[in-house]
């Protein structure tokens, strides 16, 4: 319209008042140029970013099956990373790795307990103050968080609801572990109680609705970052009313390592009865169905977010990440339900990303890569950031080379007294079921080297227990990790893997570049 007015003024014959007309035309032209300048500035602003972080969603046993909308709106429009891993298979240390881009031995969050440094004052004074949202905030990103943060967040010993981590403009964090109803939020540092009304309280929907309001209220002049962390598909698996009858005929998959004995594995895997009791199988089948049901609301969330971005003309300038903190198992090696184990079903996680320049990678991508990738999108110089991960932003890796192998580590949780449901195992165990199957223990503490390339697909793990137990798997010939080949493999290979493990456990961001350069050279030498 401005261009039409300018042309009309330019063709008008000189007449009385023509100076006034020319002045109007000049004003109109200047207005049009200013408008163009604003639009150009808007188009040149850094990309927006959304991270959807779900809870306990696997990829190995069908966990992505319900996510038809998420696959269509994110994976099909961007990339699905088929070799995505968590560096530790438990909520709090994994989420701490996502926020910091560091391995657990560097951010020092070991498990879900306060003693394990989960959301502790030590965490708050150190790694939390250096998490990636602090960088985004300094770059004028408008930041929004809603949902589960860290398992001990909001407890009195962790600063209560008044503690808002640095870097967040809007903060709507769940106190404690995942719930769907009857929970407490820290709403920008104020306690907010919720009940059991679906319309008002169902947490997945509340997270979505508040994020949509944030997008409506934002300033268009600055980019935004949203981190949405719904409770699905964590227990207690409470689906929205409209989805509680879905998947009624679905059972947990019976293939692979389902209901197999934990032969030649560490003691915690040797203790479950095999075959599993029918009561345990019925229980885990029910859990499997309910997990899928809770995910349907997350699928709706993704669809509504994408449509909102499209309606406000921000979709093409927004990166959307979809991932989970860890995988899950339901009956694998006769363990009923949980995570915390070193096997593929617990350490492989979903990762879908859409946005400018995103391309799929066959090489391993880790959850510690999310922070540097997000900062790379925002324009941060990664050499100035203390991270162990590396950006996977296309067209090439930034600030690093392709990793030849990576670390998975976990520090077990246990109780100082015997579990009443499983007294025969004594103290030191946790997450026990009535049929005396315990999913965790103090000495369920391990570190693994995972190598995944065209030449070697292997996992080597050492346990910090009285047996100094070692597990080794060739995942090319044994993808379900049924056979521990530690007694069959060439001792020289064991020595190489042990040396790699020592290097990885001593690795920090400050030594990373030299470490990976030496690692690649070492790997090339081994292949000769």
């Amino acid at each position: 319209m401005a261009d039409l007015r300018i042309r009309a003024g330019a063709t008008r014959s000189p007449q009385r008042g023509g100076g006034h007309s020319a002045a109007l035309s000049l004003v109109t032209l200047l207005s049009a140029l200013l408008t163009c300048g604003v639009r150009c500035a808007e188009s040149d602003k850094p990309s927006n970013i959304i991270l959807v972080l779900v809870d306990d969603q696997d990829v190995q046993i069908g966990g992505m099956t319900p996510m038809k909308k998420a696959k269509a709106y994110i994976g099909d429009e961007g990339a699905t990373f088929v070799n995505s891993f968590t560096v530790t298979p438990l909520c709090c240390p994994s989420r701490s790795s996502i926020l910091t881009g560091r391995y657990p031995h560097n951010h020092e969050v070991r498990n879900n307990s306060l003693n394990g440094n989960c959301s502790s004052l030590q965490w708050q004074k150190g790694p939390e103050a250096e998490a990636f949202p602090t960088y985004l905030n300094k770059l004028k990103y408008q930041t929004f968080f809603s949902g589960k943060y860290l398992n001990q967040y909001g407890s009195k010993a962790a600063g209560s609801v008044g503690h808002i981590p640095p870097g967040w403009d809007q903060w709507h964090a769940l106190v404690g572990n995942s719930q769907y109803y009857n929970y407490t939020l820290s709403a920008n540092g104020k306690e907010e109680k919720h009940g059991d009304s679906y319309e008002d309280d169902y947490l997945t929907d509340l997270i979505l609705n508040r994020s949509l309001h944030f997008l409506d209220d934002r300033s268009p002049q600055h980019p935004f970052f949203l981190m949405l962390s719904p409770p699905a598909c964590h227990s207690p698996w409470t689906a929205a009313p409209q989805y509680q009858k879905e998947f009624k005929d679905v059972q947990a998959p019976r293939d692979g390592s389902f209901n197999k004995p934990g032969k030649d594995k560490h003691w915690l895997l040797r203790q479950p009865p095999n075959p599993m009791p029918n009561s345990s199988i019925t229980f885990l089948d029910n859990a499997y169905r309910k997990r899928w049901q809770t995910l349907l609301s997350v699928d709706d969330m993704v669809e509504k977010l994408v449509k909102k971005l499209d309606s406000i003309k921000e979709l093409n300038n927004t990166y959307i990440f979809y991932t989970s903190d860890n995988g899950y198992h339901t009956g694998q090696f006769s363990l009923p339900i949980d995570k915390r184990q070193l096997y593929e079903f617990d350490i492989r996680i979903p990762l879908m990303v859409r946005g400018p320049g995103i391309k799929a990678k066959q090489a391993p991508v880790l959850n510690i890569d999310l922070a540097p990738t997000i900062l790379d999108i925002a324009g941060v110089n990664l050499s100035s950031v203390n991270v162990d991960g590396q950006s996977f932003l296309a067209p090439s890796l930034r600030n690093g080379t392709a990793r030849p192998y990576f670390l998975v580590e976990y520090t077990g949780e246990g109780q100082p007294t015997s579990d009443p449901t499983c007294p025969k195992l004594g103290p030191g165990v946790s997450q026990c079921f009535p049929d005396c199957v315990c999913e965790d223990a103090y000495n369920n503490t391990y570190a693994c080297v995972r190598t995944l390339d065209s030449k070697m697909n292997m996992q080597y793990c050492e346990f910090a227990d009285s047996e100094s137990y070692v597990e080794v798997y060739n995942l090319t010939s044994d993808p379900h990790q049924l056979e521990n080949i530690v007694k069959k493999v060439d001792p020289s290979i064991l020595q190489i893997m042990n040396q790699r493990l020592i290097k990885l456990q001593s690795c920090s961001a400050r030594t990373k570049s030299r470490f990976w350069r030496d690692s690649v050279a070492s790997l090339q030498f081994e292949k000769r």
Side-chain angles (χ1 to χ4, degrees):
M1 292 296 293
D3 289 343
L4 288 173
R5 286 195 296 269
I6 293 167
R7 284 197 293 271
T11 57
R12 185 172 297 165
S13 300
Q15 56 185 336
R16 187 177 178 184
H20 177 68
S21 176
L24 283 174
S25 297
L26 180 61
V27 169
T28 305
L29 175 61
L30 289 172
S31 175
L33 290 172
L34 286 171
T35 302
C36 176
V38 171
R39 287 174 181 165
C40 291
E42 286 180 351
S43 64
D44 291 339
K45 75 179 181 182
S47 295
N48 310 304
I49 308 163
I50 295 177
L51 172 59
V52 179
L53 176 61
V54 293
D55 202 347
D56 286 1
Q57 189 174 15
D58 65 276
V59 289
Q60 289 293 96
I61 58 171
M64 288 296 290
T65 305
M67 310 305 296
K68 292 181 172 59
K69 297 174 183 177
K71 289 177 183 177
Y73 283 111
I74 303 178
D76 293 348
E77 295 294 327
T80 298
F81 293 80
V82 296
N83 288 315
S84 176
F85 295 85
T86 180
V87 297
T88 185
L90 189 63
C91 305
C92 196
S94 175
R95 289 163 182 263
S96 302
S97 286
I98 289 169
L99 289 163
T100 62
R102 301 177 193 173
Y103 279 119
H105 69 265
N106 285 328
H107 61 59
E108 297 185 320
V109 177
R110 296 179 292 278
N111 50 47
N112 284 347
S113 67
L114 199 61
N115 289 337
N117 217 21
C118 178
S119 202
S120 67
L121 297 180
Q122 180 182 345
W123 154 263
Q124 294 170 19
K125 292 176 182 177
E128 185 179 66
E130 299 173 343
F132 75 82
T134 63
Y135 291 87
L136 298 181
N137 193 254
K138 290 175 183 176
L139 292 172
K140 307 301 182 184
Y141 269 78
Q142 302 163 90
T143 56
F144 171 92
F145 180 90
S146 187
K148 176 178 172 179
Y149 181 57
L150 302 174
N151 296 58
Q152 298 296 329
Y153 173 78
S155 65
K156 185 176 181 180
S160 300
V161 298
H163 172 66
I164 302 175
W168 297 103
D169 296 320
Q170 287 290 319
W171 181 252
H172 304 269
L174 178 68
V175 174
N177 206 357
S178 284
Q179 294 288 329
Y180 299 80
Y181 296 108
N182 299 305
Y183 54 83
T184 300
L185 290 181
S186 170
N188 294 315
K190 303 294 184 182
E191 183 179 80
E192 184 179 284
K193 295 280 190 180
H194 284 266
D196 56 5
S197 164
Y198 171 69
E199 290 76 13
D200 298 330
D201 303 314
Y202 191 69
L203 184 54
T204 302
D205 291 358
L206 181 144
I207 292 167
L208 169 65
N209 292 335
R210 294 198 178 180
S211 69
L212 298 180
H213 285 305
F214 175 81
L215 291 173
D216 283 333
D217 295 341
R218 82 199 190 288
S219 167
Q221 280 72 41
H222 298 289
F224 55 80
F225 170 72
L226 282 73
M227 184 169 177
L228 311 182
S229 189
C233 48
H234 196 286
S235 62
W237 314 304
T238 310
Q242 66 270 29
Y243 294 133
Q244 290 180 359
K245 294 183 179 180
E246 297 293 324
F247 310 121
K248 61 181 180 180
D249 297 324
V250 169
Q251 292 182 324
R254 270 29 178 191
D255 57 353
S257 57
F258 181 84
N259 207 8
K260 293 287 196 302
K263 183 181 179 182
D264 296 327
K265 291 177 167 53
H266 66 105
W267 79 270
L268 198 60
L269 270 289
R270 300 195 299 266
Q271 49 93 24
N274 182 267
M276 300 175 72
N278 289 335
S279 59
S280 292
I281 293 178
T282 299
F283 173 78
L284 66 87
D285 277 341
N286 190 45
Y288 191 89
R289 282 190 295 273
K290 288 184 174 181
R291 283 164 53 80
W292 277 19
Q293 291 168 356
T294 66
L295 286 167
L296 293 175
S297 293
V298 180
D299 212 31
D300 292 341
M301 168 192 285
V302 170
E303 178 185 40
K304 291 175 182 177
L305 269 173
V306 170
K307 289 183 175 180
K308 181 67 173 180
L309 292 171
D310 191 36
S311 72
I312 62 175
K313 311 302 182 187
E314 293 285 4
L315 182 58
N316 292 334
N317 192 38
T318 301
Y319 286 84
I320 306 176
F321 294 75
Y322 182 98
T323 192
S324 175
D325 48 9
N326 47 257
Y328 207 71
H329 58 257
T330 53
Q332 283 61 47
F333 295 121
S334 303
L335 295 172
I337 56 161
D338 201 49
K339 48 268 185 174
R340 308 168 200 257
Q341 302 301 326
L342 57 91
Y343 309 105
E344 295 284 280
F345 43 75
D346 283 358
I347 66 172
R348 280 187 178 266
I349 54 175
L351 176 61
M352 300 185 297
V353 188
R354 72 174 286 172
I358 286 292
K359 296 180 181 178
K361 281 169 42 60
Q362 294 294 318
V365 175
L366 310 181
N367 63 344
I368 56 172
D369 297 335
L370 290 172
T373 302
I374 290 170
L375 293 178
D376 195 6
I377 291 168
V380 175
N381 180 357
L382 296 183
S383 64
S384 65
V385 183
N386 181 14
V387 293
D388 299 320
Q390 56 192 25
S391 172
F392 55 81
L393 189 62
S396 63
L397 290 172
R398 308 290 184 90
N399 196 37
T401 57
R403 59 171 62 86
Y405 45 83
F406 59 91
L407 175 69
V408 177
E409 55 188 343
Y410 177 63
T411 301
E413 287 183 75
Q415 299 297 328
T417 58
S418 296
D419 191 296
T421 64
C422 203
K424 70 179 184 181
L425 291 179
V429 295
S430 65
Q431 313 300 316
C432 297
F433 289 85
D435 53 359
C436 202
V437 179
C438 296
E439 296 270 3
D440 206 0
Y442 284 134
N443 60 4
N444 182 38
T445 297
Y446 56 81
C448 303
V449 177
R450 183 74 168 83
T451 297
L452 197 162
D453 61 22
S454 59
K455 299 290 185 181
M456 185 179 295
N457 188 6
M458 179 175 283
Q459 187 178 33
Y460 171 93
C461 301
E462 295 182 3
F463 278 82
D465 59 17
S466 60
E467 299 177 296
S468 298
Y469 208 77
V470 177
E471 296 187 31
V472 183
Y473 299 98
N474 181 340
L475 285 105
T476 301
S477 60
D478 180 22
H480 300 294
Q481 298 165 288
L482 299 175
E483 182 184 11
N484 179 6
I485 60 172
V486 64
K487 296 179 181 178
K488 297 181 179 181
V489 72
D490 187 329
S492 64
I493 293 179
L494 296 180
Q495 184 179 10
I496 290 170
M497 299 297 271
N498 171 262
Q499 290 172 349
R500 290 179 178 178
L501 184 59
I502 292 171
K503 287 182 179 179
L504 281 167
Q505 288 185 293
S506 62
C507 177
S508 67
R510 294 179 180 87
T511 63
K512 184 179 64 174
S513 297
R514 175 177 54 80
F515 171 72
W516 286 128
R517 185 173 63 251
D518 294 345
S519 298
V520 172
S522 172
L523 194 64
Q524 291 171 342
F525 176 79
E526 292 163 17
K527 291 176 181 178
R528 291 175 186 171

